[in-house]
Amino acid sequence: MNAWDDDQGAGVAAVPLSQRAMMAARPAPYLDDLNPAQRAAVEALDGPVLMLAGAGTGKTKALTARIVHLLRMSKARPNEVLAVTFTNKAAREMKLRVGRMLGEVAEGMPWMGTFHSLSVKILRRHAELVGLKSNFTILDTDDQVRLLKQLIVAANIDEKRWPARMLAGMIDGWKNRALVPERVPSSEAGGYANRGTELYAQYQERLRTLNACDFGDLLLHCVTIFQSHPDVLAQYQRWFRYILVDEYQDTNVCQYLWLRLLAQAHRNICCVGDDDQSIYGWRGAEVGNILRFEKDFPGAHVVRLEQNYRSTPHILAAASGVIAGNAGRLGKTLWTEVQEGHKVRLIGHWDGEDEARWIGEEIEALQRGTRGMDPVGLDGQAILVRASHQMRAFEDRFLTIGLPYRVIGGPRFYERQEIRDAMAYFRLAVSPEDDLAFERVVNVPKRGLGDKAQADIQRAARMAGVSLHEGARELVASGGIGGKGAGQLRAFVEGIDRWHALTLDAVRVAGDDDVLEPIGAVAPAMDHVRLAEMILEESGYTEMWQNDKTPEAPGRLENLKELVKALEQFDNLQGFLEHVALIMDNETEEAGEKVSIMTLHAAKGLEFPVVFLPGWEDGLFPSQRSMDESGLKGLEEERRLAYVGITRAEELCTISFASNRRVYGQWQSQMPSRFIDELPPAHVEVLTPPGLYGGGFGAAAPVAVSAMEERVSKADVYNSPGWRRMQDRAQTRGMAQPREARGMVIDATALSSHSEGDRVFHRKFGYGIVIGIEGDKLEIDFSKAGIKKVVAGFVVDADDADEVPF
DNA sequence: TGTGCGCCCGTTTTT
DNA sequence: CGGGCGCACA
């Protein structure tokens, strides 16, 4: 059967178009709750449409309604609509909402997904056109760098002066711009020791031998195929009657070509985006794509969504005021029907710790329901920072006061060392010839196979022209490896054989037609979940972490358990590996009310009743580096970041800055961010920090400086009475006084199950000894983290390290 | 082959 | 200041 003739992977097209037309005659409730602009965007089905959707204007609603409308009007079958997003989360969300609007037929849109997942789907069908087999593997950044490192060493380049990461970045950059090695402009060839292009070409060659792709290749190979095989392109052009693109402002050149090639035949393309929220320029995104849309698609219908359903007018006005500083915008004016609301609050602090302390207290106050607002739960509050290192001050503080928080977008589950190691074992079991996986774990846990042994294996494999696994086998057989490593290597090689055999039993793979689809009818000889556990046991990997006494070890074992558990949702190991390569998100939301801490980038698309924006200081935000490297363009992107930050807030937005901050261990005095000057004063309430009017710490509600209202010019904030007093206070506080009262020892045993001298474990700080008790707080000398005060509930006896809460 | 010292450098990161 | 990495040593 021709792969093209099937139903594109979905069992949906069952309802004939004629019958669908009848459905279209029924009233369309999904249109009724759209505002005029949204409705216009939904009803303009044919031809190019650009939907400029400001923050909080119901973009996803319009987008999903449009898809539903397309289907209801029988313009296309569900499998003929190409709907592209950037993240899996967005794709999932859209599927969910379309399904809900449509009623039932949710799974019927096989071509709704991310650029990457859709590209994989296309590329698997035509892999041979770019010299790959259809079962190619997908390398992540880590694999990519390791591979490049090998090439760099082989090329005799000083890896110190020319780090592999740098080359990886350049290659990514070229791929983002759809440049294959031959097309890299000679002006850029000098960048990497004069040999960037050469290494790029070698890297591509190496990937081909490994039958592998990196993320950039997924898209670039598709574009290459479309460009050089018009027949293939034509098929897809015919198939995708309608194309929808979310977050269009974030597309790079390669994605742009990908879309344009697919859309140029029928031109039924609808791009949704907001040039003011383009914050991924440093990653190759081209705001130009959205600015140019009308030129690319003449006669495009442009619709602006400007009615905001999220934020109060003060918040919108503040955001608009800031973004107005950018030139070359398409221009939108957000408005809302809401009349009331709090002004954006602005507050300065002495240093970063004060800032964290104050925010912590504010969060608790808002939670209790003061500040003239109804109580706001912790889930409704977020702290958005420019750079992830800023999170630390908040984590430290919240840990100390026992305020539950969650960090969004930290090291992601599938990027953690233990997960990647385990995955490498699974990869080896599925395909023993996976050399990158072999290299990764051949000496993890330690098997006495160091650089020398590994070099021997490499040589043996290369000479015989086989995989490392086979090379190792021959090396063992020929006695080419000595010492204790020999026995261990033999065991490793045989282990892989055994696991591989079990994998084959566990999954029967269909014939040549479709190597990806397992046939469910054959009863597996061994449950793949059990197999995975067995692999981790037999390889000694689990044991390695059990014997590890570092504070992270229990967490890692926990993650491994979680990984194995995740396997249950798949039919076999292959399916799982396939999934993980692209779905790198970490959706293990632990329950419980928690404040969210995340970067501004991670916050795009989210909203919270209460938002804190700390660290608004020149150099930090806007980031010095952005400005140095990208000049005005960089500054404008930072400004968009500010805009994104402010517009995340529904009810209350608080911006803050500190006059002193530790930067790389050095104390530095900071200037308030220039973006603060750009806030329209009429919509800002300047707070004075607590402690200025005789109240102690966290005393009364912050007091507005009355004279600051309305007429005070923005820059004057720093000449304001409050600001000057704060400066004065800064002087007197220069000599660090103890921040917390000492010596108030209450009956410790009544409040805590720990006593002095106990050995305890803390999820973040690791092991330590209790050296003091104050109320419900323990003073602990952590072996790694030093002396800290921590709420007793967050530690357990060192022996029960498995049961750490939090 | 494993450990430890010292040096360097330090944003954002949808896949 | 502190984490990561490479190199020198045991």
Side-chain angles (χ1 to χ4, degrees):
Chain A
M1 179 175 74
N2 178 342
W4 187 255
D5 293 331
D6 69 18
D7 67 358
Q8 305 299 306
V12 186
V15 186
L17 279 178
S18 56
Q19 200 174 321
R20 302 186 131 261
M22 289 165 60
M23 292 157 72
R26 295 198 318 227
Y30 56 90
L31 290 177
D32 293 343
D33 48 302
L34 298 174
N35 67 36
Q38 289 171 333
R39 189 156 177 160
V42 168
E43 290 187 322
L45 292 180
D46 291 299
V49 174
L50 177 62
M51 198 194 303
L52 290 172
T57 54
K59 167 194 77 164
T60 311
K61 185 179 185 183
L63 202 49
T64 49
R66 186 181 164 91
I67 293 172
V68 171
H69 197 48
L70 273 174
L71 301 177
R72 285 276 191 254
M73 299 300 286
S74 304
K75 289 286 190 175
R77 294 189 175 92
N79 56 356
E80 293 168 335
V81 176
L82 178 70
V84 198
T85 63
F86 275 84
T87 66
N88 292 299
K89 198 173 152 201
R92 222 168 3 205
E93 166 86 8
M94 208 189 292
K95 272 189 181 155
L96 200 79
R97 289 174 71 161
V98 169
R100 222 168 21 203
M101 271 196 218
L102 220 45
E104 296 186 66
V105 210
E107 284 309 303
M109 297 200 49
W111 294 104
M112 182 180 286
T114 63
F115 275 105
H116 295 268
S117 67
L118 295 169
S119 293
V120 170
K121 205 160 174 171
I122 291 171
L123 198 51
R124 295 256 185 235
R125 291 165 184 264
H126 312 283
E128 74 288 347
L129 298 181
V130 286
L132 294 169
K133 291 187 281 176
S134 81
N135 63 346
F136 60 82
T137 54
I138 301 163
L139 303 191
D140 61 28
T141 324
D142 202 76
D143 290 324
Q144 190 189 4
V145 170
R146 281 193 302 141
L147 215 140
L148 284 172
K149 215 171 248 177
Q150 292 176 6
L151 295 175
I152 292 166
V153 171
N156 249 323
I157 291 173
D158 179 9
E159 213 233 305
K160 227 166 185 168
R161 266 194 71 195
W162 306 103
R165 294 219 156 269
M166 182 188 199
L167 182 57
M170 295 176 66
I171 291 178
D172 279 347
W174 286 323
K175 289 183 178 176
N176 285 159
R177 288 155 60 203
L179 295 170
V180 291
E182 307 78 57
R183 299 282 296 276
V184 174
S186 46
S187 57
E188 295 178 40
Y192 188 88
N194 274 328
R195 300 173 67 182
T197 14
E198 171 193 336
L199 284 158
Y200 178 18
Q202 284 179 19
Y203 170 68
Q204 290 310 110
E205 198 40 54
R206 188 88 183 88
L207 285 177
R208 210 152 295 162
T209 11
L210 286 165
N211 191 31
C213 274
D214 63 22
F215 287 130
D217 283 336
L218 297 176
L219 286 135
L220 182 48
H221 282 328
C222 280
V223 168
T224 308
I225 291 171
F226 292 158
Q227 285 174 335
S228 53
H229 298 270
D231 51 322
V232 176
L233 175 62
Q235 285 181 314
Y236 285 98
Q237 287 176 334
R238 246 177 286 129
W239 190 268
F240 300 136
R241 293 160 163 268
Y242 289 86
I243 299 178
L244 297 98
V245 191
D246 195 14
E247 306 280 16
Y248 188 63
Q249 77 282 352
D250 289 337
T251 51
N252 60 37
V253 170
C254 189
Q255 289 156 341
Y256 165 80
L257 288 172
W258 193 99
L259 288 168
R260 214 181 58 173
L261 284 162
L262 287 173
Q264 68 193 11
H266 52 61
R267 302 180 2 114
N268 292 326
I269 183 169
C270 171
C271 293
V272 185
D274 179 359
D275 50 320
D276 291 335
Q277 292 188 67
S278 161
I279 55 174
Y280 284 103
W282 51 277
R283 246 175 147 250
E286 286 280 340
V287 216
N289 290 346
I290 195 168
L291 302 177
R292 228 183 27 228
F293 187 85
E294 292 178 78
K295 274 194 203 125
D296 290 332
F297 296 97
H301 195 52
V302 180
V303 183
R304 285 182 161 74
L305 305 192
E306 298 178 304
Q307 181 175 3
N308 177 289
Y309 297 96
R310 179 186 294 159
S311 313
T312 64
H314 285 309
I315 291 169
L316 291 183
S320 304
V322 171
I323 199 65
N326 273 6
R329 301 169 52 222
L330 289 173
K332 287 179 276 34
T333 313
L334 294 184
W335 59 277
T336 174
E337 286 175 352
V338 177
Q339 298 290 328
E340 323 206 313
H342 288 78
K343 294 187 175 184
V344 169
R345 305 189 303 171
L346 174 63
I347 182 167
H349 300 278
W350 168 240
D351 64 17
E353 279 177 50
D354 279 357
E355 185 180 51
R357 181 182 301 110
W358 185 82
I359 288 178
E361 281 161 9
E362 274 302 290
I363 289 170
E364 290 180 328
L366 289 161
Q367 190 185 13
R368 286 193 305 269
T370 54
R371 306 287 180 273
M373 287 173 67
D374 290 337
V376 182
L378 297 182
D379 282 347
Q381 306 196 45
I383 300 170
L384 313 182
V385 298
R386 174 62 181 87
S388 49
H389 63 77
Q390 290 172 261
M391 294 179 182
R392 193 173 167 165
F394 295 98
E395 291 196 60
D396 281 353
R397 181 64 194 162
F398 295 171
L399 243 13
T400 309
I401 63 174
L403 180 64
Y405 68 88
R406 100 183 96 229
V407 169
I408 301 204
R412 281 175 303 164
F413 188 71
Y414 289 109
E415 282 168 5
R416 290 173 201 183
Q417 185 193 344
E418 66 276 15
I419 300 304
R420 295 182 42 79
D421 288 342
M423 298 287 295
Y425 274 107
F426 299 160
R427 274 161 65 183
L428 275 177
V430 170
S431 14
E433 69 283 356
D434 188 330
D435 285 356
L436 284 165
F438 186 98
E439 278 171 36
R440 185 176 178 97
V441 292
V442 64
N443 202 29
V444 181
K446 297 266 182 292
R447 296 193 174 87
L449 300 164
D451 289 347
K452 171 138 184 334
Q454 290 189 45
D456 288 344
I457 298 172
Q458 293 273 2
R459 191 163 354 96
R462 197 160 320 149
M463 283 198 335
V466 294
S467 66
L468 293 178
H469 171 238
E470 288 304 326
R473 188 201 311 285
E474 286 177 29
L475 198 65
V476 171
S478 67
I481 184 166
K484 56 179 183 213
Q488 297 247 45
L489 183 57
R490 175 191 296 273
F492 182 61
V493 169
E494 287 171 356
I496 295 173
D497 290 333
R498 200 168 51 250
W499 303 326
H500 182 56
L502 287 167
T503 322
L504 291 181
D505 271 357
V507 204
R508 290 295 165 77
V509 176
D512 290 335
D513 270 329
D514 195 350
V515 282
L516 302 173
E517 295 291 326
I519 293 180
V522 181
M526 185 185 214
D527 169 31
H528 66 285
V529 178
R530 178 73 203 96
L531 173 61
E533 276 171 341
M534 197 183 104
I535 293 172
L536 296 181
E537 282 301 320
E538 290 188 3
S539 61
Y541 193 71
T542 317
E543 195 188 352
M544 178 183 100
W545 288 117
Q546 281 161 351
N547 294 336
D548 189 303
K549 286 300 164 215
T550 58
E552 298 87 48
R556 296 195 195 266
L557 285 165
E558 198 53 46
N559 289 338
L560 288 173
K561 269 190 214 155
E562 223 176 285
L563 177 72
V564 172
K565 199 153 163 251
L567 282 169
E568 286 169 10
Q569 296 169 28
F570 293 82
D571 294 336
N572 54 59
L573 275 182
Q574 280 96 322
F576 180 68
L577 293 175
E578 173 76 10
H579 171 84
V580 167
L582 285 175
I583 316 288
M584 301 286 278
D585 55 3
N586 190 4
E587 283 298 294
T588 46
E589 272 300 302
E590 324 115 82
E593 284 270 320
K594 288 176 172 141
V595 186
S596 300
I597 307 176
M598 70 190 92
T599 62
L600 288 162
H601 284 91
K604 195 169 79 157
L606 305 180
E607 57 189 12
F608 301 88
V610 170
V611 167
F612 291 92
L613 301 170
W616 280 42
E617 295 136 40
D618 248 42
L620 184 58
F621 187 45
S623 133
Q624 192 57 50
R625 199 154 149 181
S626 279
M627 295 186 292
D628 290 348
E629 282 175 11
S630 314
L632 184 62
K633 254 185 107 184
L635 178 65
E636 294 204 332
E637 183 153 313
E638 297 285 308
R639 193 176 278 120
R640 292 193 289 267
L641 220 32
Y643 175 80
V644 167
I646 298 170
T647 52
R648 297 310 95 193
E650 296 167 2
E651 302 287 330
L652 185 64
C653 176
T654 309
I655 294 169
S656 60
F657 58 93
S659 16
N660 297 283
R661 200 175 282 278
R662 260 158 101 126
V663 182
Y664 303 141
Q666 301 283 81
W667 279 102
Q668 255 185 16
S669 77
Q670 301 282 105
M671 285 290 289
S673 170
R674 64 193 70 187
F675 298 150
I676 287 180
D677 299 344
E678 298 173 2
L679 293 168
H683 303 281
V684 175
E685 176 191 17
V686 179
L687 307 182
T688 49
L692 284 192
Y693 296 103
F697 248 14
V703 186
V705 181
S706 54
M708 290 306 299
E709 313 276 354
E710 310 296 331
R711 62 192 173 75
V712 176
S713 100
K714 334 152 196 194
D716 273 348
V717 167
Y718 313 107
N719 293 318
S720 71
W723 175 242
R724 244 186 271 116
R725 258 173 301 210
M726 196 160 60
Q727 298 283 304
D728 294 343
R729 170 169 168 266
Q731 296 296 317
T732 47
R733 266 189 67 185
M735 22 218 101
Q737 26 183 289
R739 291 238 162 97
E740 278 153 87
R742 292 196 175 246
M744 37 175 284
V745 179
I746 318 172
D747 179 9
T749 45
L751 291 161
S752 156
S753 58
H754 305 283
S755 44
E756 284 187 30
D758 279 359
R759 222 172 93 74
V760 292
F761 179 81
H762 184 280
R763 181 68 174 260
K764 182 176 168 69
F765 300 136
Y767 293 96
I769 307 281
V770 177
I771 57 173
I773 300 170
E774 292 172 12
D776 64 338
K777 293 187 188 151
L778 303 175
E779 192 170 17
I780 298 167
D781 184 2
F782 290 102
S783 53
K784 299 254 164 174
I787 295 176
K788 304 244 179 224
K789 276 184 204 157
V790 162
V791 172
F794 291 97
V795 299
V796 294
D797 288 341
D799 309 325
D800 306 328
D802 289 347
E803 300 158 29
V804 204
F806 211 71

